[in-house]
Amino acid sequence: MKAVVIPVTPFAQNCTLIWCEKTMKGAVVDPGGDVDHIVKAIEEQGVEVDRILVTHGHIDHAGGVAELADRLGVPIEGPHEEDRFLVDGLADQGSRFGFADARAFTPQRWLQDGDEVSFGEETMGVRHCPGHTPGHVIFFDAAAKVALVGDVLFQGSIGRTDLPGGDHDTLLRSIREQLWPLGDDITFVSGHGPLSTFGQERQSNPFVADRLFAS
Ligand SMILES: [Zn+2]
Ligand SMILES: [Zn+2]
């Protein structure tokens, strides 16, 4: 499995192109906007995109989904249906944040905890990780030791919980019960900022380090 991060939108959101090296088939995760730029990156890598994956319904992650799906003629998978209110409201979120082209969409599949998504000969697991939004999902490959976690966890921080449907305690639970069991050696791509590993965050993250929960 290979991946490149394509920063998009004024929020510098880490759209990720991920693919199977054997078949060169892949997926675009969180195409928040700048769709021309994403299409160019896909062409440069020579990847045949066969699906779009969405972690959650915020504009910077989902604002370009409908346009990219139309242009590539591919299905959309995710987020969890509890983010439907955000996905339905994308045009509205777009006009508030200056994304003129953002449109609502209906994914071919709303994802649930325990689902799998695949492209080429690669398969990734799905975990439902509410807290930043109620329907946030993350994607992981236990063998490749990689996870795409959207706005659940960042290097040195966690997702905001002051937006509609956010909840701080739920987010902490998602991180500790859904992410940590995947393994300390998992490298994760966040929705914003640099890469890190779960092990590093368990040591030093000021919100979710293990020592903060020691009893
Ligand atoms: Zn978000
Ligand atoms: Zn974001």
Side-chain angles (χ1 to χ4, degrees):
M1 190 161 74
K2 270 200 89 170
V4 291
V5 171
I6 311 159
V8 296
T9 83
F11 296 92
Q13 198 279 118
N14 290 329
C15 171
T16 305
L17 173 63
I18 192 159
W19 69 93
C20 163
E21 286 173 281
K22 234 185 258 172
T23 61
M24 291 306 285
K25 291 191 177 175
V28 178
V29 183
D30 285 1
D34 301 334
V35 171
D36 286 340
H37 185 55
I38 297 170
V39 168
K40 204 169 141 230
I42 294 168
E43 287 168 0
E44 274 169 17
Q45 299 295 342
V47 175
E48 184 191 332
V49 168
D50 63 11
R51 66 204 55 238
I52 293 171
L53 304 175
V54 188
T55 62
H56 67 295
H58 282 157
I59 186 77
D60 52 326
H61 296 255
V65 168
E67 185 189 340
L68 187 64
D70 282 354
R71 279 173 65 167
L72 301 178
V74 297
I76 302 162
E77 297 182 322
H80 187 286
E81 196 166 4
E82 285 189 39
D83 265 15
R84 185 195 275 266
F85 74 106
L86 291 168
V87 171
D88 285 348
L90 276 168
D92 197 46
Q93 290 189 58
S95 57
R96 247 181 300 150
F97 293 102
F99 292 61
D101 297 336
R103 277 190 279 133
F105 59 85
T106 302
Q108 272 65 25
R109 178 157 76 122
W110 295 104
L111 294 173
Q112 305 205 26
D113 194 60
D115 276 349
E116 291 186 332
V117 293
S118 20
F119 42 89
E121 294 176 16
E122 299 283 357
T123 298
M124 296 187 90
V126 175
R127 290 272 158 96
H128 182 207
C129 293
H132 173 67
T133 66
H136 200 304
V137 296
I138 65 106
F139 303 100
F140 71 96
D141 182 332
K145 303 199 177 302
V146 172
L148 306 176
V149 305
D151 288 352
V152 172
L153 179 69
F154 303 108
Q155 184 202 68
S157 190
I158 59 173
R160 332 171 29 166
T161 51
D162 57 332
L163 299 166
D167 185 75
H168 185 75
D169 289 343
T170 304
L171 182 61
L172 296 187
R173 208 175 315 124
S174 287
I175 293 169
R176 292 168 48 78
E177 293 176 8
Q178 296 281 59
L179 299 189
W180 291 173
L182 299 176
D184 286 354
D185 53 353
I186 296 261
T187 296
F188 65 94
V189 181
S190 289
H192 309 265
L195 307 186
S196 181
T197 65
F198 289 163
Q200 183 181 327
E201 300 312 308
R202 290 184 75 162
Q203 288 223 322
S204 61
N205 189 296
F207 299 92
V208 283
D210 287 349
R211 68 185 146 73
L212 301 172
F213 299 87
S215 51

